[in-house]
DNA sequence: ATCCCGAGGG
DNA sequence: CCCTCTGGAT
């Protein structure tokens, strides 16, 4: 992998985000949900899986498991079959059931609204917790997924490789009120243009702001 | 072959 | 730090 680009300033980040917000005015959480519980389930399922495929299984899953109480009691095999096409289905089913039980036993059947409580749940790391905080509770949530990590590196916003360290850098760089929307914008651009492989630099409106501009191998 | 809005364990 | 878990799309 190539050397990390020169790190950019808060101003660079702010201006870049403003430009992205004009490009993706509709950017938001793409996981279908109508409650914190549904978003928690969908986000756990989204690990190493596209949101499109998560949205394919969640209607039947939410109908069968409308509450943590129900999910904590259905047969594990049935849960596995309901989520099978999202991949890692054995791990995810086990975590979902553990998670559901913990909500019933320790949180009154409700999804907790703090990072400390969320990351205690099975299958919930900082990325998933920040999705919940930002999209179900309207709290600052700096989501560092594979897209955000990649774009933060390419844009020169963080030289780190570990998601937790990238998150620290981005939280320092961006205003708290922008964390969640910034995540959505970076994810949208990461999907459409700044892809992992063969990034579509020729169609990227951030070319003038991108430290990789002119770099031959833009892999 | 490689990636997808990762997490947990060694 | 590494590895494993998993199916589907490209």
């Amino acid at each position: 992998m190539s050397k990390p680009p020169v790190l950019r300033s808060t101003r660079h980040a702010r201006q870049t985000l403003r430009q992205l917000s004009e490009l993706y005015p509709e950017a938001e959480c793409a996981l279908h949900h109508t409650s914190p519980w549904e978003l928690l389930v969908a986000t756990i399922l989204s690990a190493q899986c596209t949101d499109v495929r998560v949205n394919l299984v969640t209607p039947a899953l939410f109908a069968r498991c409308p509450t943590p109480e129900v999910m904590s009691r259905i047969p594990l095999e049935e849960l596995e079959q309901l989520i099978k096409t999202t991949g890692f289905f054995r791990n995810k089913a086990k975590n979902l059931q553990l998670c559901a039980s913990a909500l019933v036993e320790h949180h009154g059947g409700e999804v907790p609204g703090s990072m400390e409580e969320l990351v205690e749940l099975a299958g919930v790391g900082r990325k998933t917790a920040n999705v919940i905080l930002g999209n179900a509770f309207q709290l600052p949530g700096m989501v560092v997924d594979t897209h955000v990590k990649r774009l933060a590196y390419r844009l020169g916003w963080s030289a780190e490789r570990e998601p937790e360290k990238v998150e620290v850098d981005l939280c320092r760089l961006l205003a708290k009120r922008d964390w969640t929307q910034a995540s959505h914008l970076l994810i949208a651009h990461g999907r459409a243009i700044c892809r992992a492989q063969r990034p579509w630099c020729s169609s990227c409106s951030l070319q003038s702001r991108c430290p990789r501009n002119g770099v031959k191998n833009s892999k």
Side-chain angles (χ1 to χ4, degrees):
Chain A
M1 202 51 114
S2 54
K3 287 178 295 189
V6 178
L7 291 183
R8 299 306 171 108
S9 65
T10 292
R11 180 181 300 114
H12 177 266
R14 204 167 358 97
Q15 291 172 343
T16 303
L17 288 178
R18 188 180 309 132
Q19 201 173 342
L20 285 178
S21 67
E22 291 168 13
L23 209 52
Y24 309 102
E26 309 287 301
E28 60 182 357
C29 180
L31 297 168
H32 296 169
H33 65 282
T34 62
S35 67
W37 163 243
E38 290 189 356
L39 182 59
L40 174 61
V41 172
T43 310
I44 288 175
L45 292 179
S46 75
Q48 294 300 93
C49 172
T50 61
D51 56 326
V52 173
R53 261 181 303 130
V54 173
N55 291 336
L56 247 33
V57 308
T58 46
L61 181 61
F62 295 158
R64 179 69 178 89
C65 303
T67 66
E69 287 83 356
V70 176
M71 185 177 281
S72 70
R73 296 177 197 288
I74 74 168
L76 188 57
E77 296 73 31
E78 184 185 355
L79 187 52
E80 289 180 348
Q81 290 308 310
L82 282 165
I83 67 170
K84 186 151 195 169
T85 56
T86 65
F88 296 164
F89 66 90
R90 275 183 281 266
N91 279 342
K92 288 176 181 176
K94 179 161 57 73
N95 287 333
L96 281 175
Q97 203 151 51
L98 286 170
C99 192
S101 299
L103 293 186
V104 173
E105 292 178 28
H106 304 304
H107 300 282
E110 301 288 328
V111 177
S114 76
M115 172 63 73
E116 303 78 63
E117 295 173 295
L118 284 167
V119 295
E120 286 298 310
L121 301 170
V124 179
R126 291 192 64 88
K127 179 262 172 180
T128 299
N130 276 318
V131 170
I132 308 299
L133 294 175
N135 298 285
F137 294 108
Q138 325 308 325
L139 295 169
M142 187 63 242
V143 178
V144 179
D145 67 358
T146 178
H147 296 297
V148 173
K149 185 177 77 138
R150 183 177 69 252
L151 268 71
Y153 187 81
R154 288 179 177 173
L155 285 168
W157 294 0
S158 175
E160 299 292 346
R161 299 299 206 155
E162 297 163 53
E164 288 197 19
K165 294 183 179 177
V166 176
E167 185 186 332
V168 170
D169 284 345
L170 293 183
C171 288
R172 286 187 183 133
L173 192 67
L174 305 174
K176 221 175 228 189
R177 65 174 179 281
D178 294 333
W179 288 356
T180 300
Q181 188 58 17
S183 302
H184 291 146
L185 293 172
L186 292 173
I187 290 166
H189 195 60
R191 284 175 169 164
I193 305 290
C194 197
R195 304 168 295 199
Q197 295 179 307
R198 298 190 310 114
W200 199 4
C201 298
S202 61
S203 295
C204 181
S205 46
L206 301 182
Q207 280 184 69
S208 64
R209 297 190 188 286
C210 186
R212 304 171 66 85
N213 189 24
V215 176
K216 193 147 193 190
N217 180 10
S218 52
K219 183 172 54 175

